[in-house]
Amino acid sequence: MNPATALATVLIDELVRCGVTDVVLAPGSRSAPLALAAHADSRVRLHVRVDERSASFVALGLAKRSERPVALVCTSGTAAANFHPAVIEASESGVPLLVLTADRPPELRGTGANQTIDQIKLYGSAVRWFAEVGVPEDRPGQVAYWRSLVCRACQRASGPPDPGPVHLNVAFREPLIPDGDASWCESLDGDASGSWFRARVAPPSAALHIPPTRRGVLVVGDGAANVRRYVAAAGMAGWPVLSEPNGGGRYGDHAVSAYHFLLGDQEFADAHRPDVVVTLGRPGLSRPLLSWLRRAEEHIVVAPDLTRWPDPTRSATQVAQAVEIPIAAGGDAWLRAWRHADHVAREAIDAVLDSSGLTEPRLARDLAEVLPNGSLLFCGSSMPIRDLDQAMRPRRGLRLMANRGASGIDGLVSTAVGAALAHNGPSYALIGDLTLLHDQNGLILGPREPRPDLCLVVVNNDGGGIFSLLPQAALEDPFERVFGTPHGVDLGYLAAASGLPYTVVQETEELSKALKGDGLRLVEARTDRARNAAVHVAMREAVRAAMRD
């Protein structure tokens, strides 16, 4: 057996032993040993994509939804560079990725050899750990090294306490394909009881105990852990819960869904300053919420990893791996005030949306309401997730996800596809037109590839809608070209080119019917950017007027 085949066979086998079930491959020559080993292993679900960036975000979506490491494989050269945006998002979001980049052996590096670049620590600080595997050799001791290396990579990618991407750079000398000889100087098998070793993880330190108070608030942002436990504790303590949709805590009687508009009202924000705020995950959708956090007297950030904690407002007074929220004696005037204000604001928001026709906030609100229990809703990182944050009512039975680690536009179609492939139930995505165009290669699935049950709902306002809500919109002369960026693409032709079922929604009443179906499909909702900006202003003004009344 040639060394390249031996190394690849052991690597894939040990990945499976460590719990990896999915491998995403972008084809190439130097990665042939890994590709053939993954294809030959029936325990692996293999996903092949023609575009490295698309492949990397499919892996990201799979790992994000399954919460298990996913292996990502490519050949040498710029192929590996195309993984970088997904690696950054995985790092910022804490998603376990195992990036295996094939490479030329050392004697070909720095010589101008074809498709050879410097891949050593290619992703810099965006990975939790990097290892140069080294060129395989036919000598005793190699198998133990390879298996222990893979186990360490899986453990580091999975955490706890800090999951994220790991990079293994795998150098292969030719020949790259099996030679028909099965002999090797030692057994290629691993430990019969399981993977090569099992790392033991120490339990977290004792939880921080908060003094009893009725004037507390729980804030839930992206990437929060143990959400149900903390929401239940906040409910027992009489605290309101301010949860971003992708935080996973917007449900139940204590959920305050209109907090963006309530905290944008200075009078309300000043009158409802808490004794303590506990933050899970990383909030970042609402500027009024972030401004309010900056003025908190006691702000406790819960972070499983004490070397990396989210504090975008730099207002944390304490950071803990866990906290205990005690039940406080006394009346419930604090919670009642929040709930009453939320009810008043919710009615004002809904009144505006109900009379707005097919607008982006209404589409977001209505979509979140009509999806069946057990659904996954993947959201675009820019306006779709913000529209949901501002318009979505509390509900159970819906899993919301978004790439809010670095909040880029990269690879969102592919991430949604990957997440749908890992989800046990119907999946949907709410994204913008530029997001779709930026990753239209994500629509390309070969005839033998696993296919997701995913409905892509695309808001088409012919450009970048979020800029119409920013100060740049006042620059009338250059705005449309350098910020609005109209494209004029007919999404129907794009769907046809990819062989996807396609529906246009022109009235809100058509949404439920348009969503029906199975497999990968596209629903387009055409909106107007100027009208959308006006609706956002109208919601804000309606809430302020309702609060004054």
Side-chain angles (χ1 to χ4, degrees):
M1 180 180 295
N2 65 60
T5 299
L7 171 57
T9 301
V10 170
L11 289 185
I12 296 299
D13 180 63
E14 193 63 29
L15 286 172
V16 172
R17 287 168 174 264
C18 288
V20 173
T21 59
D22 290 89
V23 175
V24 182
L25 167 71
S29 176
R30 190 60 53 164
S31 56
L34 290 169
L36 294 171
H39 182 268
D41 196 320
S42 61
R43 300 167 297 173
V44 167
R45 185 167 65 154
L46 182 63
H47 311 264
V48 181
R49 293 297 184 273
V50 298
D51 178 336
E52 283 82 11
R53 188 180 71 178
S54 178
S56 63
F57 279 98
V58 168
L60 177 78
L62 282 161
K64 192 179 183 77
R65 179 63 188 91
S66 67
E67 299 180 352
R68 296 193 307 269
V70 170
L72 176 63
V73 178
C74 74
T75 190
S76 61
T78 56
N82 278 283
F83 285 173
H84 207 157
V87 171
I88 291 173
E89 176 62 31
S91 177
E92 295 298 318
S93 295
V95 176
L97 276 188
L98 295 165
V99 183
L100 280 66
T101 56
D103 201 354
R104 260 59 176 172
E107 63 268 19
L108 293 181
R109 300 177 189 175
T111 64
N114 183 49
Q115 211 169 324
T116 305
I117 65 171
D118 184 1
Q119 296 178 199
I120 303 300
K121 296 189 175 181
L122 178 63
Y123 308 116
S125 60
V127 295
R128 301 291 187 268
W129 186 59
F130 166 80
E132 165 80 330
V133 176
V135 179
E137 299 177 16
D138 188 0
R139 61 182 177 84
Q142 289 276 279
V143 174
Y145 162 59
W146 296 335
R147 290 191 180 274
S148 64
L149 189 72
V150 170
C151 280
R152 183 181 296 273
C154 288
Q155 179 64 42
R156 191 63 191 90
S158 301
D162 185 28
V166 164
H167 179 201
L168 299 181
N169 195 55
V170 190
F172 292 115
R173 289 193 179 103
E174 296 181 349
L176 301 174
I177 61 174
D179 53 12
D181 182 1
S183 63
W184 189 253
C185 65
E186 59 180 341
S187 172
L188 294 178
D189 294 335
D191 187 332
S193 64
S195 60
W196 196 257
F197 71 86
R198 296 286 185 185
R200 295 183 177 272
V201 180
S205 59
L208 173 68
H209 287 264
I210 303 172
T213 176
R214 297 294 292 187
R215 293 179 61 88
V217 173
L218 177 66
V219 174
V220 187
D222 184 66
N226 300 317
V227 174
R228 291 190 177 276
R229 170 198 161 192
Y230 284 105
V231 169
M236 295 290 290
W239 291 12
V241 177
L242 317 184
S243 176
E244 295 182 347
N246 47 318
R250 189 173 290 198
Y251 61 87
D253 295 336
H254 292 231
V256 175
S257 62
Y259 66 83
H260 172 82
F261 296 105
L262 292 175
L263 298 179
D265 184 298
Q266 197 61 50
E267 184 176 326
F268 178 89
D270 290 341
H272 292 78
R273 295 184 65 178
D275 295 332
V276 60
V277 176
V278 173
T279 296
L280 312 177
R282 180 174 59 179
L285 294 176
S286 170
R287 289 187 179 183
L289 174 62
L290 295 178
S291 297
W292 184 73
L293 283 177
R294 288 189 183 96
R295 296 183 287 130
E297 293 184 11
E298 181 76 3
H299 179 197
I300 301 172
V301 172
V302 179
D305 177 27
L306 296 183
T307 65
R308 288 164 47 94
W309 67 83
D311 182 23
T313 59
R314 294 193 180 275
S315 58
T317 55
Q318 295 189 76
V319 180
Q321 288 180 300
V323 300
E324 291 292 339
I325 300 175
I327 299 175
D332 60 353
W334 171 251
L335 177 61
R336 191 165 57 245
W338 278 92
R339 291 179 63 181
H340 176 66
D342 189 53
H343 175 73
V344 170
R346 184 82 268 156
E347 285 193 335
I349 294 166
D350 287 339
V352 171
L353 295 183
D354 289 342
S355 61
S356 69
L358 183 60
T359 60
E360 294 166 33
R362 182 171 182 181
L363 178 68
R365 184 199 66 178
D366 293 357
L367 178 64
E369 286 190 355
V370 302
L371 296 184
N373 286 336
S375 295
L376 169 70
L377 177 57
F378 185 86
C379 316
S381 302
S382 186
M383 279 312 300
I385 189 61
R386 288 181 169 86
D387 284 331
L388 283 162
D389 187 42
Q390 296 171 27
M392 176 185 168
R393 300 183 183 111
R395 69 158 289 183
R396 287 182 167 89
L398 180 63
R399 177 70 177 268
L400 286 104
M401 298 178 66
N403 281 356
R404 288 291 299 175
S407 304
I409 197 174
D410 315 62
L412 294 183
V413 173
S414 299
T415 309
V417 168
L421 286 166
H423 182 69
N424 184 24
S427 299
Y428 305 84
L430 179 62
I431 61 176
D433 48 343
L434 294 186
T435 294
L436 174 69
L437 295 176
H438 200 275
D439 189 27
Q440 55 186 295
N441 278 357
L443 301 175
I444 302 173
L445 278 73
R448 297 177 62 184
E449 300 310 309
R451 302 189 73 83
D453 181 9
L454 173 64
C455 178
L456 294 165
V457 181
V458 181
V459 177
N460 185 3
N461 54 29
D462 196 27
I466 192 171
F467 295 108
S468 297
L469 305 177
L470 299 177
Q472 290 94 317
L475 306 174
E476 295 184 7
D477 181 38
F479 175 79
E480 190 65 4
R481 183 181 182 191
V482 301
F483 294 108
T485 56
H487 52 79
V489 174
D490 188 324
L491 301 187
Y493 287 114
L494 178 62
S498 304
L500 300 184
Y502 166 76
T503 307
V504 176
V505 171
Q506 296 179 316
E507 302 292 339
T508 55
E509 294 77 12
E510 301 171 353
L511 179 62
S512 294
K513 182 179 179 181
L515 296 174
K516 294 179 180 179
D518 52 32
L520 186 60
R521 56 203 188 277
L522 193 151
V523 172
E524 177 186 357
R526 294 173 183 167
T527 62
D528 179 79
R529 280 186 268 133
R531 187 180 176 193
N532 179 58
V535 168
H536 279 84
V537 172
M539 288 192 294
R540 183 172 64 246
E541 292 179 347
V543 171
R544 287 181 178 176
M547 296 299 292
R548 297 298 174 269
D549 293 341

